Amino acid sequence: MYGCKSSNIPQLLQTIGAEKFYATPVKELMSQYTISNSIGCADCHDAKTMALKITRPAFVEAMSRRGIDVTKATRQEMRTYVCAQCHVEYYFKGDGKYLTFPWDKGLLIDNIEAYYDEIKFKDWEHEETGTPLVKMQHPEFEIWSSGIHARAEVACADCHMPYLRQGAIKISDHWVRTPLVNLNNACRSCHPINEAELRARVLEIQDRTFSLLTRAEKAIIAAQDAIILAKKQGVPIEKLKEAQQLHRRAYIRWDFVSAENSMGFHSPQETVRVLGDAIDFARQSELAAYKAMTK
């Protein structure tokens, strides 16, 4: 039914080792090795048995540091883990750019922030405010982990690759996509209500999240403008450290939600909490900058 697009990245990781793989620029990898596709069957399945398999070392290492042995995972857990090995927040550690998931303290943004603060990590520095910031990637697994579906042991594949029947055989639909275009299979097996109501519930969550996201953006811009104004008025950078730290706290929370691809649906209550904190920290940052100008 499905054409198999092979990916030799798992084999390449085993052949040259994760450390060398991470340290090698993409252009060099592409020129030295044949990489046919960025993802394929071998990324999630054992080539011989087709059993679900973790092929990304960074996920195994991060889970191990949290005391979780992925080799003991159930099949239902694996239906999430094979997605979580890529759909996460990550950074490149040290000069060798070793791919690392910042989960040692937990999966909440507060835990990830504490991890990054402890190692004084930044991806970039804001050109005008001088604030050291972190660019979030796509933390779907982290946000999903705090939601009701995770608590109910619903896997990524249950919604994004729902079961379908091909004759007498039940298989996972490998057309990975938003459940909104496949509500009958993706949602109604658990929620036996009409599709219009299901769609309305999802869109209501996403609309509310987007509204808060926009308010957080405006608050962060106001904080940035206040810090910039303070610098123009000659306020020493030492007196703006509090404003910068609060700016950082607001920004990484906004980006944690913005970079995640469910627009709040994976964990509505946690997303609202995170964006509420982002707005609060941004306004505190703005106030701290103005206070610095009056001292």
Side-chain angles (χ1 to χ4, degrees):
M1 181 176 179
Y2 302 101
C4 179
K5 294 183 177 180
S6 63
S7 165
N8 60 352
I9 292 178
Q11 182 180 0
L12 195 55
L13 279 163
Q14 288 185 336
T15 302
I16 68 173
E19 192 168 352
K20 183 178 179 182
F21 182 85
Y22 299 149
T24 306
V26 173
K27 288 184 178 180
E28 290 184 29
L29 285 174
M30 297 295 286
S31 64
Q32 295 179 37
Y33 307 97
T34 302
I35 300 179
S36 53
N37 291 284
S38 59
I39 187 170
C41 304
D43 290 287
C44 305
H45 292 278
D46 184 281
K48 295 181 179 179
T49 67
M50 290 306 291
L52 291 173
K53 180 181 180 181
I54 304 298
T55 57
R56 300 301 195 262
F59 178 80
V60 177
E61 293 162 0
M63 294 294 272
S64 178
R65 292 195 303 273
R66 296 178 62 221
I68 300 171
D69 183 353
V70 298
T71 65
K72 297 179 180 179
T74 65
R75 186 175 185 279
Q76 182 67 355
E77 287 172 331
M78 287 294 289
R79 282 163 56 81
T80 286
Y81 286 176
V82 292
C83 303
Q85 61 184 335
C86 292
H87 289 261
V88 292
E89 160 61 7
Y90 59 86
Y91 75 107
F92 295 101
K93 185 177 183 178
D95 295 335
K97 305 299 181 184
Y98 197 88
L99 181 62
T100 305
F101 298 174
W103 295 350
D104 294 27
K105 297 178 181 294
L107 299 178
L108 298 178
I109 183 57
D110 313 75
N111 307 135
I112 293 170
E113 175 191 46
Y115 176 94
Y116 281 143
D117 284 351
E118 186 174 289
I119 64 173
K120 295 180 172 55
F121 177 78
K122 65 177 181 179
D123 277 310
W124 60 294
E125 193 170 286
H126 193 280
E127 185 174 339
E128 295 178 293
T129 67
T131 305
L133 298 173
V134 179
K135 175 67 192 82
M136 295 293 159
Q137 308 306 321
H138 28 64
E140 283 84 47
F141 176 67
E142 292 91 337
I143 288 185
W144 167 88
S145 294
S146 65
I148 189 63
H149 286 95
R151 291 188 179 189
E153 299 182 356
V154 176
C156 302
D158 289 324
C159 304
H160 294 279
M161 302 173 64
Y163 286 119
L164 56 82
R165 289 202 173 273
Q166 188 82 71
I169 303 173
K170 186 175 80 169
I171 61 173
S172 292
D173 186 346
H174 278 59
W175 186 1
V176 183
R177 50 186 168 158
T178 171
L180 281 171
V181 299
N182 189 22
L183 286 166
N184 189 53
N185 281 12
C187 304
R188 295 190 73 243
S189 58
C190 294
H191 305 285
I193 57 179
N194 68 74
E195 291 191 21
E197 173 61 18
L198 285 170
R199 184 181 302 277
R201 291 184 186 185
V202 174
L203 295 180
E204 182 178 41
I205 290 169
Q206 293 183 327
D207 286 346
R208 287 177 176 176
T209 303
F210 183 75
S211 176
L212 279 175
L213 194 70
T214 302
R215 291 172 69 181
E217 289 171 5
K218 291 178 179 178
I220 290 169
I221 290 170
Q224 292 172 179
D225 288 344
I227 295 171
I228 294 166
L229 179 61
K231 291 178 70 176
K232 286 181 178 179
Q233 290 191 3
V235 176
I237 197 66
E238 293 76 20
K239 291 187 177 182
L240 291 173
K241 291 298 182 182
E242 181 185 0
Q244 288 178 325
Q245 178 62 21
L246 289 162
H247 174 210
R248 173 182 166 96
R249 300 194 76 183
Y251 178 87
I252 66 173
R253 283 166 173 77
W254 166 81
D255 203 20
F256 196 67
V257 176
S258 180
E260 199 268 345
N261 284 294
S262 75
M263 191 52 70
F265 182 77
H266 283 152
S267 186
Q269 290 177 310
E270 175 64 6
T271 301
V272 166
R273 182 189 76 84
V274 170
L275 289 176
D277 284 348
I279 294 168
D280 181 34
F281 288 135
R283 293 306 182 187
Q284 287 187 54
S285 172
E286 180 185 11
L287 182 60
Y290 281 119
K291 283 183 176 179
M293 283 185 265
T294 61
K295 290 182 179 179

